[in-house]
Amino acid sequence: MALHISLSHQSWSSPANPISSSDPARCCVPGTRFSRRVEFGGSSKSIGGIVRRNDRVRGQIRASMDVGTQVEAIVGKVTQVNKDTFWPIVKAAGDKTVVLDMYTQWCGPCKAMAPKYEKLAEDNLDIVFLKLDCNQENKPLAKELGIRVVPTFKILKEGKIVEEVTGAKYDTLVAAIQTVQNS
């Protein structure tokens, strides 16, 4: 049984036709062309992917959780994770920087940061951006990661948390990401 994460972006898809990271044929949207995919992590690296005209390459992070189960994160987009998919994606990212947005659906500051976080993902194609809804289902992971307030942003390098930003502090988040990238 395969676990597929469906991703969408307002300017690329509609609710009736989401972009699916597991279906390359549906990833191409009018005005785009299939050109190449850069696959990071794991032992296999392949070329193939999605390129928008006048846009940068969007790579994929693929992680196998067990036999027949695979999860993907698209570089250049924010990927929703849960307690089961978070660590496999972090492991598959290897030495790439991973930024995790820990939020709740009822949090006003979280909602205010969401579009800025998506823009960061679009602008930083060498970083993996993830989101974790700190709901009851994901409570074990949120507790493991030491969540105290939302939003909390955890920056990981080689599977270890190296920076944390609490609250809706965009400039502080950008500075923390740059510090990690430059170290």
Side-chain angles (χ1 to χ4, degrees):
M1 179 170 123
L3 172 64
H4 299 287
I5 300 173
S6 237
L7 304 173
S8 63
H9 189 284
Q10 283 180 328
S11 65
W12 287 12
S13 66
S14 67
N17 185 25
I19 297 171
S20 172
S21 62
S22 61
D23 184 358
R26 292 192 59 196
C27 288
C28 293
V29 179
T32 67
R33 61 183 173 80
F34 189 76
S35 177
R36 62 186 175 194
R37 173 178 298 136
V38 180
E39 188 176 305
F40 303 99
S43 60
S44 65
K45 295 186 181 190
S46 64
I47 298 183
I50 305 161
V51 177
R52 281 183 38 173
R53 201 172 92 176
N54 299 325
D55 202 358
R56 293 186 256 175
V57 175
R58 300 192 188 282
Q60 292 182 340
I61 303 295
R62 289 183 181 210
S64 293
M65 294 170 48
D66 57 36
V67 177
T69 304
Q70 192 174 66
V71 293
E72 297 176 345
I74 306 292
V75 177
K77 292 183 163 287
V78 176
T79 301
Q80 185 73 38
V81 294
N82 62 36
K83 63 181 174 37
D84 299 321
T85 60
F86 174 69
W87 286 114
I89 289 175
V90 168
K91 183 179 177 186
D95 64 349
K96 293 179 90 45
T97 301
V98 176
V99 182
L100 174 66
D101 175 8
M102 301 173 73
Y103 73 100
T104 59
Q105 296 196 13
W106 49 264
C107 168
C110 299
K111 290 178 184 178
M113 283 293 288
K116 295 175 184 177
Y117 190 68
E118 288 177 15
K119 180 71 172 135
L120 270 175
E122 291 172 5
D123 293 343
N124 294 282
L125 297 179
D126 54 339
I127 301 173
V128 179
F129 286 85
L130 307 174
K131 280 182 85 89
L132 175 71
D133 187 352
C134 295
N135 57 21
Q136 203 61 26
E137 178 185 323
N138 295 318
K139 189 174 183 179
L141 178 58
K143 193 173 187 177
E144 177 186 343
L145 294 172
I147 185 78
R148 295 182 309 257
V149 299
V150 287
T152 293
F153 300 90
K154 302 277 185 171
I155 304 171
L156 297 92
K157 192 77 172 187
E158 297 178 4
K160 295 181 179 124
I161 298 170
V162 294
E163 284 285 336
E164 176 180 296
V165 175
T166 57
K169 302 171 188 163
Y170 178 77
D171 293 334
T172 305
L173 176 61
V174 170
I177 290 171
Q178 289 173 347
T179 299
V180 170
Q181 284 292 91
N182 294 332
S183 64

